Amino acid sequence: MINVKKPGLQTTVQDRGRIGYYEIGMPPSGAMDKYAFTVANLLVGNDPNAAVLEITYLGPVLEFGKAMKISLTGGEIPPRINGQPVPMWTTLEVREGDQLSFDFVKGGARVYLAIEGGIAVPLIMGSRSTYTLIGIGGFEGRAVAEGDVIYTADMRKKEIPVGTRIDPDLIPAYSKTHEIRVVVGLCSYRLTEESKQTFLDTEWTVTPEANRTGYRHRGEKLHFVEREQPFGAGSNPSNVTDLGYPIGSIQVPDGVEPIVLLHDAVTGGGYATIATVISSDLDRMAQVKTNEKVRFVSVSLEEALEARRTVKQKLGVIAQFIEIGM
Amino acid sequence: MKEVSQLQTRYEYGGDEFIFVQLSEAMSLEANFKGMAITRKLKEANLEGVYDICPSNASYMVRFDPEIIAPQALLEKLQQIERDLGGLDEITITSRLVDVPVYFNDPWTHEALMRFRDRHQAPDSTDLEYSAKINGYANTDDFIEAITSAPFLVSMIGFVPGLPWCFQMVRQEKQIEVPKYVRPRTFTPERAFGFGGAFSVIYPVQGAGGYQLYGIAPAPIYQKEQTLFDFQDSIVFPKQGDIFRYRSIHADEYQAIREQVEDGSFVYHKKEIRFTPGEVLSDLEAFAERALRRLYHD
């Protein structure tokens, strides 16, 4: 078991997510950076869908009630055990009474803490992921709080030697400017040609509204093609007859401040969607912070699928490396 | 005459995991029935790699794993289903007819809407008074009568879990249309009954909201504890394709239903109904009459 001494800014239990309930308005939730999440579980020999802690911006202070293996992946929020720096992307071992704490964030935005066996919380609709809006999953549907006690589950599949490390070439680099690839489409026909170009040419600044539901960006004003609004669509030119929002889809209410919808977002509504972040770059979006710069780069579906294969291949290499040992 | 662009189906990729299909730019019962028919066929096809099938008002969306089913192959399958659909007379839809009690002009939503008058188009009237007036009704009683006399189709579920978008099954000239608040409220009571654009909604949980507020439903549409009969299989009650009849109730019935909800005995009054979109669209008044008879007298 693990005692939560301080919860950090927003520390939640997450796994792969609650898949298959989108039609009832249930977003999937789940780890925002699936690459880091997957590697964290691999490093402690867990089932790929074991629940981990997703740590945001400001880390928690945790005390271990027994010896266990752990791993930390994702953004650079430098971890310390009993005050001593420890490496990320590595299989670590803690002893009973050890304390895990974090320095201020240096790069990226989210860290994943996997513990041997995974976190034991009830499965809700096939997932342990926390969805705070309606209060389900994780710890009573909320972020972890001071005094919570985290128990381990029995989802360990393999014994991984302490000190197992990921090849540095397979660790993502986190900068302060980001190129996020998107497939332009959905209702992009609603934008003027000029605004479509502006959307791709602008260096957007991430606003303080950047969390698990979505990221809002400040920059240029975008314009929609003038028309008489169809019946059922709202009166604003950015309105359409309410429709479903893909995860990663981008909308621009009233033409100001594009919003990228993420894993805890609303599943539908009445704003025109103009592009979708490709699945492999949702992981990178998860490591973007407020005030950092984002440029949206248009790619084809084929390029999106190629990027997806590249990520999968990297994870395959990591899994194989961990399997055969160092 | 409708513009051609409003009648053409558009197929679009939403990144590498979604296909979005817009059946019409404008809301209509035709578009909704068509989406319902296509998505029900797609569910029956039970394709491997398809995770989510989400019918919405005049469009639908599919989430899939491109490593299991190629995006192009799935898109072609969707196009084929659309081609094979046939006319709206050839599709039979089975829906649940549901009696949904609503306490109009209740104290809780009244308190909420009075708190946010500065965010409303008409700060000196209530949401009901304002909506009745701009839709040409002499008073709020007539307006409530218009809402309760014809059923609503649950045309889409979403935004948050269980929220039903409901579109009244009346001719377009009889459709109620209202704007949303100028600036959204930061508070809406749980189970509030609201209206925005051409859609009515029930808010599953307390939260922000921009729809005009008319009343409150005593029965939940979302219950995470799943103790009530209607929530045994799902934490949300509404299903896309349901037909809701909003029935105006007073404080005493509201209280009685609340007590049933609290003691776990509440069950929605509902019946099954089969229809073809063709018969509904050809005579909406006759369908409304048939639906209400089926719900309360059969």
Side-chain angles (χ1 to χ4, degrees):
Chain A
M1 62 177 217
I2 301 167
N3 297 302
V4 179
K5 296 291 188 188
K6 286 184 189 161
L9 183 66
Q10 169 85 352
T11 303
T12 57
V13 175
Q14 301 293 345
D15 59 11
R16 265 200 302 236
R18 203 163 275 114
I19 312 295
Y21 298 96
Y22 219 72
E23 69 165 321
I24 65 161
M26 180 78 75
S29 304
M32 295 257 286
D33 181 346
K34 294 285 192 306
Y35 184 84
F37 158 79
T38 304
V39 176
N41 269 328
L42 282 170
L43 282 167
V44 293
N46 280 349
D47 179 287
N49 198 24
V52 306
L53 284 182
E54 180 178 274
I55 291 159
T56 314
Y57 298 166
L58 184 68
V61 177
L62 304 171
E63 190 182 82
F64 295 90
K66 64 171 188 184
M68 65 182 85
K69 285 174 192 163
I70 66 168
S71 68
L72 293 146
T73 61
E76 292 168 68
I77 309 181
R80 288 171 184 269
I81 290 176
N82 303 329
Q84 295 302 309
V86 290
M88 294 186 63
W89 305 90
T90 302
T91 307
L92 304 171
E93 188 164 44
V94 293
R95 291 157 308 175
E96 185 181 336
D98 278 358
Q99 246 188 28
L100 173 67
S101 61
F102 295 85
D103 290 350
F104 287 116
V105 55
K106 277 170 67 181
R110 289 179 172 82
V111 161
Y112 293 86
L113 165 65
I115 57 177
E116 204 177 348
I119 293 171
V121 292
L123 270 177
I124 310 278
M125 300 164 86
S127 170
R128 296 181 172 81
S129 291
T130 314
Y131 175 41
T132 55
L133 184 84
I134 59 165
I136 64 164
F139 279 88
E140 299 158 7
R142 55 168 175 79
V144 302
E146 188 180 325
D148 279 343
V149 179
I150 299 168
Y151 290 95
T152 53
D154 55 359
M155 292 174 75
R156 197 193 71 182
K157 299 282 174 216
K158 288 188 199 75
E159 184 83 37
I160 306 296
V162 174
T164 302
R165 277 204 332 237
I166 302 304
D167 178 350
D169 288 348
L170 295 171
I171 297 174
Y174 303 107
S175 74
K176 294 192 187 326
T177 58
H178 308 266
E179 289 201 342
I180 298 292
R181 289 166 290 183
V182 299
V183 173
V184 174
L186 305 172
C187 301
S188 60
Y189 70 96
R190 289 293 304 125
L191 285 178
T192 63
E193 284 306 316
E194 204 184 343
S195 280
K196 267 187 225 174
Q197 202 52 49
T198 306
F199 170 67
L200 297 170
D201 290 345
T202 301
E203 190 178 62
W204 300 94
T205 303
V206 178
T207 70
E209 267 183 75
N211 51 46
R212 290 186 49 86
T213 62
Y215 272 52
R216 192 185 272 263
H217 302 75
R218 203 171 45 238
E220 299 296 318
K221 166 117 179 149
L222 301 182
H223 299 278
F224 292 86
V225 177
E226 291 292 328
R227 65 169 176 180
E228 190 185 323
Q229 286 290 90
F231 180 76
S235 51
N236 191 283
S238 65
N239 285 146
V240 290
T241 298
D242 304 74
L243 41 74
Y245 295 151
I247 297 149
S249 66
I250 301 174
Q251 53 182 255
V252 200
D254 200 26
V256 296
E257 304 196 336
I259 302 168
V260 179
L261 295 184
L262 296 170
H263 302 76
D264 286 1
V266 295
T267 62
Y271 289 111
T273 45
I274 59 167
T276 312
V277 174
I278 67 173
S279 62
S280 56
D281 282 8
L282 288 174
D283 294 349
R284 299 176 51 227
M285 199 81 221
Q287 299 294 354
V288 176
K289 281 191 296 295
T290 296
N291 288 328
E292 292 182 352
K293 306 292 182 192
V294 168
R295 200 182 279 276
F296 296 107
V297 179
S298 172
V299 297
S300 66
L301 174 64
E302 284 65 36
E303 289 169 300
L305 292 169
E306 184 56 38
R308 185 186 178 98
R309 278 192 288 272
T310 305
V311 171
K312 195 154 190 206
Q313 193 214 344
K314 280 186 187 176
L315 287 171
V317 169
I318 293 172
Q320 205 179 17
F321 168 77
I322 291 172
E323 181 98 7
I324 56 169
M326 312 168 60
Chain B
M1 207 176 91
K2 282 184 182 173
E3 284 175 45
V4 175
S5 69
Q6 296 189 341
L7 297 172
Q8 263 174 356
T9 306
R10 290 190 319 109
Y11 289 84
E12 293 277 326
Y13 291 111
D16 46 324
E17 292 190 354
F18 286 87
I19 293 177
F20 167 74
V21 184
Q22 188 182 55
L23 299 165
S24 163
E25 287 200 295
M27 179 58 190
S28 66
L29 288 167
E30 285 93 331
N32 195 261
F33 284 137
K34 187 173 173 185
M36 207 185 295
I38 293 172
T39 52
R40 285 183 180 196
K41 282 255 186 303
L42 182 60
K43 272 183 198 168
E44 284 165 21
N46 213 1
L47 298 179
E48 205 191 337
V50 170
Y51 294 147
D52 292 290
I53 299 169
C54 311
S56 46
N57 289 326
S59 55
Y60 70 93
M61 194 170 76
V62 181
R63 186 182 188 194
F64 61 98
D65 181 341
E67 285 147 41
I68 301 176
I69 184 162
Q72 184 63 35
L74 177 57
L75 193 140
E76 280 165 16
K77 174 75 185 168
L78 300 178
Q79 288 173 325
Q80 189 206 327
I81 292 176
E82 188 189 3
R83 273 198 307 273
D84 295 348
L85 205 55
L88 288 174
D89 277 323
E90 297 159 62
I91 306 160
T92 304
I93 291 174
T94 306
S95 286
R96 297 189 303 181
L97 271 173
V98 188
D99 170 70
V100 182
V102 174
Y103 178 12
F104 286 90
N105 242 328
D106 67 291
W108 303 281
T109 53
H110 184 76
E111 195 273 332
L113 68 93
M114 291 313 284
R115 255 165 66 193
F116 297 101
R117 283 341 272 165
D118 61 326
R119 299 176 185 222
H120 196 273
Q121 292 82 354
D124 298 328
S125 57
T126 65
D127 292 10
L128 266 174
E129 288 163 355
Y130 166 75
S131 303
K133 188 173 159 210
I134 63 165
N135 280 280
Y137 290 92
N139 54 57
T140 57
D141 285 349
D142 288 357
F143 183 67
I144 292 168
E145 169 66 22
I147 291 173
T148 55
S149 61
F152 285 72
L153 180 67
V154 177
S155 53
M156 171 174 175
I157 308 276
F159 189 64
V160 294
L163 185 141
W165 264 278
C166 305
F167 187 67
Q168 199 167 25
M169 302 176 81
V170 294
R171 291 193 309 273
Q172 191 165 322
E173 62 271 22
K174 287 182 74 181
Q175 287 280 348
I176 292 164
E177 251 195 305
V178 294
K180 296 172 192 169
Y181 272 45
V182 177
R183 285 184 299 130
R185 295 175 304 273
T186 54
F187 172 78
T188 309
E190 177 185 309
R191 292 175 279 104
F193 174 76
F195 221 107
F199 300 94
S200 73
V201 300
I202 296 174
Y203 287 86
V205 291
Q206 177 185 310
Y211 278 34
Q212 306 284 335
L213 295 181
Y214 301 157
I216 194 161
I221 53 162
Y222 160 78
Q223 199 208 21
K224 70 175 170 185
E225 298 80 15
Q226 295 186 269
T227 54
L228 291 175
F229 175 81
D230 291 303
F231 295 86
Q232 281 174 350
D233 298 331
S234 173
I235 61 171
V236 309
F237 173 70
K239 291 187 169 76
Q240 203 256 3
D242 281 349
I243 295 172
F244 282 4
R245 190 272 169 134
Y246 294 113
R247 181 166 58 85
S248 176
I249 60 166
H250 294 293
D252 45 355
E253 188 174 353
Y254 178 86
Q255 212 45 53
I257 297 174
R258 283 308 299 157
E259 280 162 26
Q260 288 176 13
V261 171
E262 297 299 326
D263 71 21
S265 65
F266 175 80
V267 180
Y268 276 104
H269 176 67
K270 51 196 170 309
K271 290 272 174 68
E272 207 174 81
I273 188 169
R274 284 163 67 83
F275 59 88
T276 67
E279 70 170 282
V280 174
L281 296 168
S282 66
D283 192 343
L284 287 157
E285 281 85 0
F287 178 77
E289 211 172 288
R290 186 188 141 204
L292 295 189
R293 200 170 52 239
R294 169 99 184 101
L295 183 56
Y296 298 111
H297 302 296
D298 273 9

